[in-house]
Amino acid sequence: MKGVAILGATGSIGRSALAVLDQHPDRFRAVALTAHRSGEALLALAHRYRPSLAVIADGEVPAGADSTPTEWASGRQALLDAATHPDADVVLNALVGAAGLEPTLAALRAGKRVALANKESLVCGGELVMEAARQGGGELVPVDSEHSAILQCLQGSRAGDVRRLVITASGGPFRGWSAEMLAAATPADALRHPTWDMGAKITIDSATLANKALEVIEAHFLFGVDYARIEAVVHPQSIIHSMVEMVDGSVLAQMGFPTMEIPILYALSYPERLPYECRRFDPVAAGTLTFEPVRADRFPAFALGVEAGRRGGTAPAVYNAAKEVAVQHFLSGRLGFPGIAEAIAETLERCPAAAAQSLQDVLEADARARRTAEEFVQRLAPC
Ligand code: NDP
C-alpha cells in the first residue's frame, strides 16, 4: 500500500488521479489532499477519501471540516507539510504554474517520489529540482503524457543509445488558423481543445504552443538530453504520445487514446505496471495518423520558450512568469491572442537571464518578470 499526497486534488489532473486510486484501493491510499481555494470541493473529497491531511493553500478551511476524520490546515506552509507528509510515498504535484516549484523541492528533499504534472517546477527551477532529488534521495517520475511516453520508450535502453527525442503536439485548437484569424481569437475559441480535456492554463498554453516549449525544457532536465536532440512535431490525433529515436535508427513510440489516467497510474506504480480498466486501444478506430512541422512563425511563443530554455539560468522562469501573466489577461479579455507572445518577448528582452542558484534567485526573477509583463499589458491595454 502506497500513501499518495495529491497537491491540487480539485483540478483536472487531481480528479483523474483520484479516479486511478478508485481502481486500486488495495494499492494506493490518499494521505493528503490540497486545493488552492476550492474549500467545498475539497470537503467533498475529504468525506470520500478520508485523507489524514487536507490543505487549503490560500483561504479558509471550509465550514463542516470538523465533520471529517481529517486534520485540516491552510496556508503555504501547510501545502509544504502536505508535500512532505510522513505517510506519503508518492507526492503527485498537480498544482498549476510556478507555485508548484517549492513543493516539488520540499518533497524531493524529503526523499519522496514526485509524480510530476506541474511541469513549471522543471521549467522554472530545473537545476535546483534535479539537485534536490540528488541531495534528498527523492525521485522524479513524469505525469505529462509526452514524458511518460518517453520514459516508457527508454525502458531497457542504456545511456548513449538515444539519438533524439520527438515530442508530439496536438497543434491545439488553432492549428491551421491564419494570422488574421489568430488576431481575433477569443478565450472561448482557445479553450476548445480538440483532443484533451484539461485545466484552463494548460489549454491556453496548448493554443499558443507555449506548452510544447515547456515540455521541451521539461524533457531536457528529466532525460538529460541536450536541446539540439529534442524536437517537437504536430500530430493532430494525439494517439502517439511521443517517440524516441535510437542511435541505430530504431524509433520507439508509445500510443493510446488520449487519457491522463494511464500516465498518472504509471507514475504511481513505476516501474511496475498495474491493470487498469479504460477504453482499450483500437488501431482501426484510431484511423490515420498524421504529422506536420510546428508552425513556429504562427506560434512565436514556442520558439521563445525553447530559446529561453537554451539560454538557461533564470530565462525559463522569466518566460513562464510572463506567460502566466499574459494568459490571465487574455482570459479576462484584456489582451488579444497575439499579445500573449508579445508580452513574453518584451519581458524576456527586459529581464536578462541571470544564474538560478537558489529558490530565491528564481522567485526574484519570477516577480520581476511578472511586474514587467504587467507594465507591458498596461501600456498596450490601459485599464
Ligand atoms: P487545474 O487548474 O485543473 O487544477 C489546478 C489545481 O491546483 C487545483 O486543485 C487548484 O485548486 C490548485 N492550485 C492552483 N493554483 C494554486 C496555487 N497557487 N497554490 C496551490 N494550489 C493551487 O490544472 P490542471 O490539473 O489542468 O494542471 C495541473 C498541472 O498539470 C499544470 O502544471 C499542467 O500544465 C499540468 N498538466 C495538466 C494536464 C491535464 O490534462 N490537465 C496534462 C499534463 C500536464 P483550486 O481548485 O482550489 O483552484
Side-chain angles (χ1 to χ4, degrees):
M1 177 70 87
K2 278 185 187 168
V4 183
I6 304 181
L7 314 183
T10 48
S12 164
I13 289 286
R15 288 192 308 270
S16 295
L18 289 166
V20 169
L21 266 54
D22 286 344
Q23 284 204 28
H24 285 288
D26 51 331
R27 301 295 298 255
F28 304 118
R29 180 175 105 76
V31 296
L33 299 178
T34 82
H36 190 214
R37 294 182 182 138
S38 305
E40 288 306 314
L42 192 62
L43 183 59
L45 295 181
H47 276 298
R48 180 157 172 201
Y49 293 95
R50 306 168 71 86
S52 308
L53 176 65
V55 170
I56 296 291
D58 183 15
E60 299 291 313
V61 168
D66 49 11
S67 64
T68 63
T70 296
E71 178 193 341
W72 284 77
S74 65
R76 190 78 191 156
Q77 182 53 48
L79 179 63
L80 298 178
D81 292 344
T84 53
H85 194 283
D87 297 338
D89 302 290
V90 185
V91 177
L92 172 65
N93 186 341
L95 302 175
V96 74
L101 171 59
E102 202 180 353
T104 293
L105 292 173
L108 290 172
R109 285 182 186 135
K112 309 289 184 192
R113 166 178 294 187
V114 174
L116 191 70
N118 178 263
K119 57 192 88 185
E120 295 88 347
S121 291
L122 278 171
V123 169
C124 300
E127 276 159 25
L128 299 177
V129 168
M130 301 317 287
E131 182 56 27
R134 273 191 294 272
Q135 274 181 4
E139 177 190 25
L140 270 178
V141 185
V143 164
D144 234 343
S145 57
E146 294 78 359
H147 304 76
S148 177
I150 292 169
L151 178 66
Q152 294 180 55
C153 293
L154 288 175
Q155 296 308 298
S157 66
R158 293 170 308 182
D161 285 351
V162 174
R163 179 180 288 160
R164 184 171 61 125
L165 306 181
V166 182
I167 300 179
T168 53
S170 69
F174 298 149
R175 187 175 68 90
W177 282 39
S178 66
E180 294 71 32
M181 289 163 77
L182 288 176
T186 65
D189 295 329
L191 287 169
R192 222 172 285 126
H193 197 281
T195 50
W196 291 97
D197 179 15
M198 309 179 287
K201 193 270 329 173
I202 182 172
T203 307
I204 303 298
D205 287 354
S206 298
T208 58
L209 294 196
N211 184 51
K212 228 23 74 176
L214 301 186
E215 290 178 3
V216 167
I217 300 171
E218 185 184 4
H220 165 75
F221 284 110
L222 274 175
F223 304 112
V225 173
D226 52 80
Y227 285 103
R229 296 189 295 129
I230 307 175
E231 285 174 26
V233 65
V234 172
H235 166 49
Q237 298 80 22
S238 300
I239 296 291
I240 290 186
H241 301 308
S242 278
M243 304 176 236
V244 177
E245 183 187 342
M246 300 295 176
V247 286
D248 63 2
S250 294
V251 179
L252 278 70
Q254 188 265 344
M255 59 171 83
F257 291 127
T259 168
M260 286 310 297
E261 291 174 25
I262 294 175
I264 291 170
L265 174 63
Y266 191 66
L268 298 181
S269 68
Y270 172 82
E272 198 184 342
R273 285 192 188 271
L274 295 179
Y276 198 67
E277 287 305 319
C278 60
R279 184 181 171 206
R280 299 271 306 279
F281 184 60
D282 174 354
V284 176
T288 307
L289 305 186
T290 60
F291 302 91
E292 303 161 14
V294 170
R295 289 288 309 265
D297 55 334
R298 227 11 89 70
F299 299 100
F302 172 73
L304 287 166
V306 175
E307 181 47 35
R310 283 180 196 269
R311 221 176 292 162
T314 54
V318 167
Y319 171 85
N320 180 69
K323 179 189 64 60
E324 286 188 19
V325 168
V327 166
Q328 251 175 16
H329 287 299
F330 170 68
L331 283 171
S332 74
R334 191 168 167 199
L335 198 62
F337 186 76
I340 299 176
E342 287 162 21
I344 296 171
E346 170 152 330
T347 306
L348 279 167
E349 214 174 288
R350 290 182 49 204
C351 301
Q357 280 163 349
S358 65
L359 178 61
Q360 195 57 25
D361 290 344
V362 174
L363 296 180
E364 279 170 17
D366 175 283
R368 182 172 170 207
R370 281 172 202 274
R371 284 194 304 273
T372 308
E374 289 288 358
E375 282 164 22
F376 171 85
V377 176
Q378 177 61 21
R379 239 186 13 258
L380 200 74
C383 45

